[in-house]
Amino acid sequence: LDAHDPIDAVIGDLQEAITRKPDMYQARWGLAIAYTGYCTPTLALDAALAEAQEVVRLRPGDSKPLWLLGQIYADRKEWDKSADAHRGALRLDPENADAHVGLGKALEKLGRENEAKAAFARAVEVRQKVAAGKPKDPALVQDELGTAYFFVAQYDQAIAAYKEALRLSPNNPEYHRHLAGAYYWQGKPADGGPSTKAAEAIAEYETAIRLNPYDSLARSILAGVYREIGRDDDALREYQEALRLFPCDADGIFLLASQYDKMGLQKEAEETFRRLTPRAPAMAFPWQYRASMAYSREEYAEAVENYRTGLRADPEDPNLHYGLGNSLYALGRYEEAEAEYRLTIELLPEDAPSYAAWGDALAKLERRAEAIAAYQKSLQLDSTAYLTWLSLGLQYELAQNWQEAEKAYAEAVKLQPDDALSRSARGQMLQRLNRLDEAVREYEAAVTLDPGQWIYRESLALLYAALNRPDDAVAAAEATIKLKPDSALAHLIIAGVSEDKGNKERARAEYELALRYVGENAGLKKLAEDGLKRVGQ
């Protein structure tokens, strides 16, 4: 397959060859490989698999078709089947080093590290044996030996072999690409930081691309190295070019979208992930990204649909369940949200935010005892969650358990002493518990922190009055009226203090204003009416 040729033309030629000669396994082999990169209209991995299986049927005693089949299964992320196909190749030819490598890769994906290492080690033995002979293509043999060393992490030996391959064939772009990878991993620290050999790797990747500008894989890997060392513009350019060359590569689309996101280009990232979803419908993350972006735009119905689609791809992803729960909650669909949060907790039983969100949904459903238990569990896991303490306090308050509510609000105040909301909430509970001096201190703090909030001043005026601090009560009430002229309670407080001081004229005026603004509050209305009777209408 020539990288310069349009993929449709390549596939058309191969299909015509098979039409003329159905048992031409070479054409089916090429077609299987071509289909892995075909996206008109979708990535044709089913067709690739069918062609690879036909090659195996046509060449029953040859290990190489089984290796091909293993590669196609790997492209399909069917790792068990990939391992089985490579084992089949090795039963026919135990010296097939490519099959040992393919088996090792599949076993790695299956988490069977020791078996994978054994397979890679066996590939080294086979390659060393070939290199010790008199190969027809010594450069290729050195390159293959380098790759075998690479997979057992013997990077010094890999580099030496690749350099020998390049000495024999200095203009082979694949050998430069392979050497670049060995340099990169030789310098990769255990903590996952940037490779100390990034400069050497970049030089070799750039040489490979100069020799073969159509090598999308080299461009994609080079972009990853650029990204790692902070050269984001260069990384973006290479990801874009790699995808232009190989527009059906699901991994390439994912990497480009991720780079857009890293650079804060969220619109471009979302659009690129949108391109990915039909290419890789079984990949959940693109749906999650699209859902989260819709959620950030408050397009909650769209977010719900994207999260649900992602869950069809990966039903066990707790992040998708959590995001779906948040979206349903935002739509007021609390029963559905509660179910999603419960599923999240089943998958992440030690996740504090999931318990807190579950508590929120239970609270909306007025399942108060369960909500309290959920918040308590969340706080056992993370006692620093300020909002969860506030939510727990509110549930206790609604249950008229003033003492426990005050304790919860006190914890919120400890965590964020400069937050007016938690100060006022605790002040209200202290007032309920008749701890008035403490309540005053909380409301005074709330007023200082949020001077534009009239209700804090109104509550403070009431407390001053209850503590027989009439001048402070009037000052707080007058400050309330400046912010909220129709505060009936503030007018009543001023009227009551004025009456006590013998200022009947002001008391009368304030009682009248209170009566005007009292609305449907029967208690305040009676207080205003009784006051007017005392001072004379």
Side-chain angles (χ1 to χ4, degrees), residues 196-479:
T196 60
K197 296 285 188 178
E200 292 88 338
I202 287 171
E204 291 299 329
Y205 282 127
E206 289 176 341
T207 299
I209 291 167
R210 191 161 54 250
L211 291 167
N212 180 11
Y214 301 93
D215 188 346
S216 63
L217 178 59
R219 290 184 180 276
S220 184
I221 301 173
L222 174 59
V225 183
Y226 283 147
R227 174 188 171 111
E228 186 176 276
I229 62 173
R231 291 172 59 178
D232 284 330
D233 289 336
D234 291 328
L236 181 62
R237 181 192 68 246
E238 292 301 334
Y239 280 135
Q240 290 172 329
E241 183 61 16
L243 199 58
R244 187 189 68 79
L245 292 166
F246 192 4
C248 304
D249 180 22
D251 291 335
I253 299 173
F254 180 89
L255 291 169
L256 176 59
S258 299
Q259 183 63 23
Y260 278 133
D261 183 58
K262 180 177 186 285
M263 296 174 70
L265 302 170
Q266 294 183 325
K267 181 179 179 181
E268 291 84 350
E270 184 178 9
E271 182 55 37
T272 306
F273 277 124
R274 194 183 304 277
R275 287 175 57 191
L276 178 58
T277 45
R279 308 289 178 221
M283 188 183 293
F285 184 81
W287 294 108
Q288 181 181 346
Y289 190 91
R290 291 177 58 184
S292 67
M293 293 302 297
Y295 185 91
S296 69
R297 295 191 298 270
E298 299 184 3
E299 296 173 1
Y300 301 122
E302 180 183 340
V304 165
E305 291 307 308
N306 284 329
Y307 277 124
R308 290 199 189 282
T309 306
L311 282 166
R312 284 195 286 274
D314 187 357
E316 301 299 308
D317 187 332
N319 295 315
L320 291 170
H321 284 291
Y322 184 78
L324 177 56
N326 288 344
S327 303
L328 291 165
Y329 185 94
L331 289 169
R333 293 159 61 177
Y334 302 121
E335 289 188 5
E336 295 173 82
E338 185 274 329
E340 291 302 324
Y341 291 136
R342 193 159 16 91
L343 285 170
T344 305
I345 288 166
E346 290 175 9
L347 295 165
L348 288 177
E350 300 298 312
D351 185 61
S354 297
Y355 280 100
W358 189 33
D360 291 342
L362 291 165
K364 288 291 187 180
L365 295 170
E366 299 185 0
R367 292 161 59 179
R368 194 156 295 128
E370 294 174 83
I372 287 172
Y375 289 136
Q376 287 174 331
K377 177 63 176 177
S378 177
L379 290 165
Q380 287 172 11
L381 295 166
D382 179 11
S383 62
T384 66
Y386 153 77
L387 288 175
T388 307
W389 283 113
L390 277 183
S391 299
L392 177 60
L394 177 60
Q395 291 308 301
Y396 277 130
E397 183 179 339
L398 292 171
Q400 298 187 6
N401 188 338
W402 318 129
Q403 189 169 358
E404 291 301 322
E406 187 276 327
K407 290 178 182 177
Y409 290 142
E411 292 295 331
V413 169
K414 286 181 187 176
L415 289 167
Q416 292 201 23
D418 294 335
D419 180 70
L421 177 61
S422 58
R423 290 283 195 163
S424 66
R426 185 176 183 234
Q428 186 180 11
M429 291 306 98
L430 288 166
Q431 185 177 356
R432 292 275 191 179
L433 293 168
N434 204 33
R435 293 160 58 183
L436 302 186
D437 288 324
E438 294 175 82
V440 164
R441 286 196 291 272
E442 293 298 337
Y443 275 116
E444 286 175 339
V447 166
T448 301
L449 292 165
D450 189 357
Q453 182 59 262
W454 66 267
I455 196 167
Y456 299 160
R457 296 180 181 275
E458 184 184 77
S459 299
L460 190 56
L462 187 61
L463 280 166
Y464 284 143
L467 287 168
N468 197 25
R469 294 168 58 178
D471 293 340
D472 290 332
V474 169
E478 289 174 341

